[in-house]
Amino acid sequence: MTKTLRLFFPVALAVLAVAHSAFAQYGGQGLGSALSSDPLSHQSQVRAGVDDIASRASQETPFKIIKDVKLGLKDADPDVRVSELTKLRDLQDPEVNQILIQSMADEDLRVKLKAIDILGARQANAAVAAMSSMLFLRSTEQIVKLHLVSELGRIGDAQGTLIVSKTLPRPCRTNLISQ
């Protein structure tokens, strides 16, 4: 029996050593392993989508973001233009408001609405005059007028509030004044 164990022990060690080196070739059970039970462990820990955009935006300078947005606004696809405008939402640069005001004149409705909504969210007083004049144009679509009124109220500028009150129908104005 001891003779069998003496022969078996070195053979067993050799088999385990070969198996261990083969297991190491595949990466074992650790992070990024092909044998891991987690199907997404081979991917990085950064989640695609909003987290990816936010982390990239925190690493880029405002100058680079504005430059990329200006380039992206020349794209023919309106979805690309809308996504480029979304990048400007949290930038604190005076040039951003001018880009958004220019984007209100875009031919696509989605781009116009996104620019108007971002200007309202930024509470950009510089946009009140352009938004007010757009409100009285006959060529302005009704949905755009609705967003303009909403965002002028959100900005809260006195000039914008006066214009919004003038656009309301007469019965609504008298109810507002009497309250």
Side-chain angles (χ1 to χ4, degrees):
M1 175 100 167
T2 56
K3 190 174 186 181
T4 314
L5 281 176
R6 277 191 225 159
L7 288 174
F8 177 73
F9 188 69
V11 172
L13 281 176
V15 168
L16 285 175
V18 170
H20 181 67
S21 65
F23 191 66
Q25 294 282 327
Y26 287 107
Q29 294 282 341
L31 184 66
S33 167
L35 301 175
S36 175
S37 62
D38 183 14
L40 299 177
S41 65
H42 66 283
Q43 296 178 354
S44 68
Q45 297 300 319
V46 176
R47 295 180 303 236
V50 176
D51 289 342
D52 190 31
I53 292 171
S55 67
R56 189 176 62 212
S58 67
Q59 295 171 354
E60 292 182 351
T61 63
F63 175 76
K64 171 125 175 54
I65 294 172
I66 291 172
K67 182 180 167 188
D68 290 343
V69 167
K70 284 181 178 178
L71 187 66
L73 287 175
K74 295 176 183 175
D75 197 294
D77 186 12
D79 293 329
V80 172
R81 295 195 305 266
V82 168
S83 67
E84 293 297 322
L85 287 178
T86 306
K87 295 177 185 176
L88 298 176
R89 183 180 204 95
D90 297 323
L91 286 182
Q92 299 301 323
D93 193 302
E95 190 178 2
V96 171
N97 289 339
Q98 293 303 318
I99 294 170
L100 291 168
I101 290 170
Q102 290 170 0
S103 296
M104 287 191 328
D106 196 277
E107 67 272 359
D108 193 78
L109 186 64
R110 294 170 286 183
V111 179
K112 282 183 196 178
L113 294 179
K114 181 55 88 171
I116 292 167
D117 292 343
I118 292 174
L119 282 167
R122 292 174 55 87
Q123 294 183 339
N125 289 335
V128 170
M131 293 170 87
S132 302
S133 64
M134 198 171 172
L135 191 60
F136 289 106
L137 293 175
R138 287 186 182 172
S139 62
T140 305
E141 298 91 350
Q142 291 297 318
I143 188 73
V144 175
K145 287 184 179 183
L146 180 68
H147 279 259
L148 285 168
V149 168
S150 171
E151 299 307 326
L152 280 170
R154 192 174 185 186
I155 292 172
D157 189 63
Q159 180 186 2
T161 308
L162 180 64
I163 291 177
V164 168
S165 68
K166 286 182 180 179
T167 60
L168 291 174
R170 183 84 176 146
C172 293
R173 270 191 279 170
T174 56
N175 289 341
L176 284 175
I177 294 171
S178 64
Q179 292 175 354

